[in-house]
Amino acid sequence: MRNIWTIAKREFDLYFVSPVAYTIAFLFLFIVGLIFVINIGSLSVSQFGFASAPDIRIVTGPMAFLLLLTTPAITMRLVADEVRMGTMELLLTGPVRDFELIAGKWLGSFLFVLTLIAFSLIFPILMNRLVSPGIDQMHMLSAYLGVILLAAAFLGLGVGISAIFSNQIAAFFSTLVVFIILWWLVGAPANILPIGGEIFRYFDMSAHFYDSFNSGILSLGGVVYYLSLTALGLFLGTISIEIRRWR
Amino acid sequence: MIQVSGLTKFYGARRAIDQLNFETHPGEIVGFLGPNGAGKTTTMRILTGYMPASSGVATVAGYDVMKESLEVRKRVGYLPETVPLYTDMTVFGYLKFMADLRHMPNITNAVEEALEKVGLLERAGGYISNLSKGMRQRVGLAQALLHKPEVLILDEPTIGLDPAQIIEVRNIIREVGKERTVLLSTHILTEAQQICDRVLIINKGKIVVEDTTNNLQSNLAGGQQAQLIIRGEAAQLAPSLQKVPGVREVKLTAADSLQFSYESKQDPRPQVARAVLAANFDLLEMRLISLSLEDIFLELTREDAPKEAE
Ligand SMILES: Nc1ncnc2c1ncn2[C@@H]1O[C@H](COP(=O)(O)OP(=O)(O)OP(=O)(O)O)[C@@H](O)[C@H]1O
Ligand SMILES: [Mg+2]
């Protein structure tokens, strides 16, 4: 457990000296902010009552999508860099379990993304001032919980996939492809098949987010689903490290 | 401290090491000497738990390197061939990170002590990316020494260092080797002779020579062997050769030939030649047969050269 923290802390500290991390953080917050401003602006123009009052979804919706795009870039270097610097040999011959290595990498990147998510709280706070009765607090908590769970799952899968590759570009694109499948493609049969489509919907990453957390509905199934995906990613990563030794 | 028996490793179909057997004792510095591709790194990687062997058993500090890998890894300090460094960290930060992973108490003291030992204390706050290659090598060494491991495994610790630093690093290893077991690999024969108590010469995955440095040295400097071919019964000549000053041992190798060993300091070959004639034999041939360690080593390297090209 202590080793997980040691590795996570090194990883986390590194983000604050990494230009790539700053670029990702800037783009993430900038785009979320832009969409926020556009939404709020368009509402104030059409003054005829708030038929649909702005809710937290104008912040968390774009955030979910941006996480899908940015997390592969965050996780792609986690293992590849260790291989490039030769430090993989150090970690694999140090008193560190393979799982601790992977979990530490994941935790470090998760803390970084949590920092980004924390910064994004500026938007709900602003919104709370702009919208007259204030925003629905429970809805906000639910949507943010969804974003956090989503980030955990994306990063878990990302770390797992990145452990398979020693090359950043390969890790990035493979991760992105897996995300696209889980986000858009896996749920498609649910709309086509007359029966049995529900199974596919359960594996749809976006359905769990948009239909429940982002709509203010907490679902235990969703929590279990995202945590399972995270665990699956970490497991995959641990196995990949194990396989590396045998190569 | 390290015990290896029947250790074999295949990379795909290629056999990198083949049935290695050797052991090292506490407080011993053992040199692993061999040409490129001999299997030194492969052996060390198995001993440090980086990868499993294909067959055979190895124990380090009493623990099986495959079954109790984590216990082994706690007790070993390892300097890999390509020095593993986080170039984006400071020297201190890097060593502190390693010390944290090893759950060490008094980390600051331990890090400073290790840096002191490798003479890099004044660079502690600097980034590793700004260090020269030799300095990086020494940071790697500090990392291996950090937790005062029972066993040190150093893969070519002096490669890429300037002569002054080579001497420094050798001194550090000798110093550390007084209390701990050190296994180091090298291509350099003189290095092995200077710092090691014992040398294992490995070639094509097999140990070809294993001897203490003292013995090797005496074979090299003190002992030479020559072969004599005469016309007549060699057996009759042997006793008179034995009497020649400087000749150590005389051995019949065939009816008309014999070998003798002698101290190279007082080369008795002229006297031997006279003794042969004095005993009324014809001297047909006299030649040196013993190979020095250097010769053996060169031979191995030469044999290996065409193999590398395939
Ligand atoms: N990862 C690998 N995959 C395939 N073959 C390998 C691998 N590592 C080493 N080998 C092969 O195993 C053999 C032994 O290599 P090893 O690196 O152990 O030699 P070495 O004695 O350390 O050589 P050097 O003095 O050049 O460092 C070589 O034939 C090498 O080609
Ligand atoms: Mg090597």
Side-chain angles (χ1 to χ4, degrees):
Chain A
M1 278 325 254
R2 190 166 149 188
N3 286 342
I4 296 178
W5 178 245
T6 305
I7 290 169
K9 190 174 170 321
R10 198 195 82 81
E11 211 58 58
F12 184 69
D13 290 348
L14 219 58
Y15 286 114
F16 292 91
V17 292
S18 150
V20 177
Y22 275 109
T23 311
I24 290 173
F26 173 77
L27 283 178
F28 183 85
L29 293 171
F30 177 76
I31 294 173
V32 173
L34 197 66
I35 294 171
F36 176 75
V37 168
I38 290 171
N39 270 292
I40 294 288
S42 67
L43 281 166
S44 61
V45 169
S46 63
Q47 296 153 354
F48 300 103
F50 291 113
S52 61
D55 66 36
I56 192 67
R57 277 180 285 194
I58 63 168
V59 178
T60 49
M63 266 165 72
F65 182 68
L66 284 169
L67 282 177
L68 182 146
L69 294 179
T70 51
T71 44
I74 292 171
T75 53
M76 66 180 183
R77 45 157 289 279
L78 289 177
V79 173
D81 263 6
E82 300 279 353
V83 174
R84 183 176 57 78
M85 291 191 285
T87 43
M88 201 58 174
E89 189 160 358
L90 194 66
L91 295 174
L92 293 187
T93 57
V96 183
R97 290 185 177 82
D98 295 352
F99 172 74
E100 291 174 330
L101 171 59
I102 289 296
K105 293 278 173 192
W106 171 81
L107 183 59
S109 64
F110 185 56
L111 291 176
F112 171 68
V113 173
L114 277 186
T115 314
L116 289 190
I117 294 174
F119 272 109
S120 79
L121 285 172
I122 182 95
F123 302 118
I125 291 169
L126 277 176
M127 203 156 106
N128 200 28
R129 302 206 146 204
L130 293 174
V131 179
S132 71
I135 56 170
D136 180 344
Q137 308 267 335
M138 290 323 286
H139 188 178
M140 186 201 114
L141 287 180
S142 160
Y144 261 84
L145 177 66
V147 168
I148 289 169
L149 285 169
L150 199 57
F154 277 145
L155 292 167
L157 291 170
V159 170
I161 295 166
S162 79
I164 301 173
F165 300 96
S166 299
N167 174 300
Q168 300 199 9
I169 307 298
F172 177 82
F173 283 106
S174 315
T175 310
L176 199 59
V177 165
V178 170
F179 287 0
I180 287 170
I181 291 172
L182 286 173
W183 193 258
W184 281 297
L185 303 183
V186 113
N191 304 326
I192 302 164
L193 294 179
I195 46 163
E198 283 312 302
I199 305 265
F200 292 96
R201 181 158 290 142
Y202 185 74
F203 290 104
D204 187 332
M205 273 185 109
S206 58
H208 280 286
F209 180 73
Y210 289 123
D211 299 349
S212 75
F213 293 99
N214 205 37
S215 310
I217 305 160
L218 286 178
S219 91
L220 186 62
V223 174
V224 170
Y225 170 77
Y226 286 127
L227 292 183
S228 305
L229 275 187
T230 312
L232 177 73
L234 300 187
F235 178 71
L236 183 70
T238 309
I239 298 290
S240 307
I241 298 290
E242 198 80 6
I243 290 171
R244 256 166 210 281
R245 293 178 186 273
W246 288 91
R247 279 207 290 247
Chain B
M1 269 288 146
I2 301 176
Q3 282 182 312
V4 168
S5 76
L7 207 64
T8 303
K9 172 77 189 180
F10 283 91
Y11 290 110
R14 179 195 295 251
R15 191 180 326 192
I17 57 169
D18 186 9
Q19 294 282 334
L20 286 195
N21 296 298
F22 68 88
E23 59 178 49
T24 71
H25 309 286
E28 195 180 33
I29 304 182
V30 177
F32 219 19
L33 192 63
N36 290 130
K40 304 181 294 292
T41 300
T42 302
T43 309
M44 291 182 153
R45 284 181 160 175
I46 294 170
L47 291 177
T48 51
Y50 179 68
M51 60 188 187
S54 307
S55 64
V57 185
T59 62
V60 174
Y63 295 94
D64 188 302
V65 295
M66 278 169 265
K67 295 191 194 106
E68 297 154 308
S69 171
L70 219 53
E71 294 303 318
V72 170
R73 289 189 256 157
K74 278 181 199 160
R75 290 166 176 80
V76 172
Y78 177 40
L79 175 65
E81 193 167 33
T82 43
V83 183
L85 297 171
Y86 291 108
T87 45
D88 42 27
M89 293 176 98
T90 64
V91 173
F92 186 88
Y94 166 70
L95 292 174
K96 182 179 178 307
F97 172 68
M98 292 311 296
D100 273 335
L101 285 181
R102 293 192 176 278
H103 302 181
M104 289 170 59
N106 279 328
I107 286 176
T108 307
N109 284 345
V111 169
E112 280 173 0
E113 198 180 314
L115 282 175
E116 174 106 67
K117 217 168 246 169
V118 300
L120 273 180
L121 197 51
E122 75 279 11
R123 303 299 293 260
Y127 278 92
I128 293 176
S129 53
N130 297 338
L131 297 183
S132 75
K133 181 164 168 23
M135 290 173 177
R136 290 181 192 203
Q137 187 85 15
R138 286 189 280 162
V139 176
L141 192 60
Q143 170 275 128
L145 296 172
L146 192 58
H147 52 297
K148 302 199 168 70
E150 291 168 49
V151 179
L152 262 180
I153 295 183
L154 311 172
D155 202 350
E156 301 187 17
T158 57
I159 202 158
L161 299 182
D162 68 37
Q165 291 189 333
I166 286 180
I167 292 171
E168 245 175 76
V169 166
R170 284 181 189 165
N171 285 338
I172 296 168
I173 294 170
R174 249 194 303 256
E175 184 67 36
V176 176
K178 281 180 188 155
E179 308 128 47
R180 290 183 266 276
T181 304
V182 182
L183 178 66
L184 66 90
S185 75
T186 175
H187 302 123
I188 311 161
L189 176 70
T190 44
E191 175 162 294
Q193 284 182 314
Q194 280 177 16
I195 37 183
C196 302
D197 303 313
R198 213 146 54 80
V199 177
L200 307 169
I201 300 181
I202 179 173
N203 185 42
K204 294 181 191 163
K206 290 193 166 122
I207 291 179
V208 284
V209 176
E210 174 178 0
D211 212 340
T212 63
T213 320
N214 282 342
N215 279 354
L216 288 176
Q217 226 140 17
S218 73
N219 285 343
L220 207 99
Q224 297 279 18
Q225 289 205 333
Q227 163 118 350
L228 269 185
I229 299 178
I230 55 165
R231 183 169 292 149
E233 281 296 307
Q236 289 167 17
L237 178 64
S240 45
L241 284 192
Q242 196 76 68
K243 289 186 204 112
V244 176
V247 172
R248 270 210 219 124
E249 198 189 337
V250 180
K251 201 166 61 186
L252 285 170
T253 50
D256 63 346
S257 74
L258 41 77
Q259 278 181 15
F260 64 96
S261 59
Y262 62 92
E263 315 262 337
S264 50
K265 271 177 246 139
Q266 45 171 140
D267 187 350
R269 280 176 295 173
Q271 289 85 331
V272 167
R274 277 194 208 103
V276 172
L277 299 179
N280 264 329
F281 291 98
D282 289 337
L283 177 57
L284 299 180
E285 190 182 321
M286 172 151 62
R287 68 186 164 88
L288 270 177
I289 53 163
S290 75
L291 289 172
S292 70
L293 186 57
E294 212 109 41
D295 291 331
I296 295 172
F297 189 63
L298 281 178
E299 191 106 310
L300 299 175
T301 321
R302 219 176 295 122
E303 268 179 18
D304 204 64
K307 198 164 179 279
E308 283 290 294
E310 66 180 55

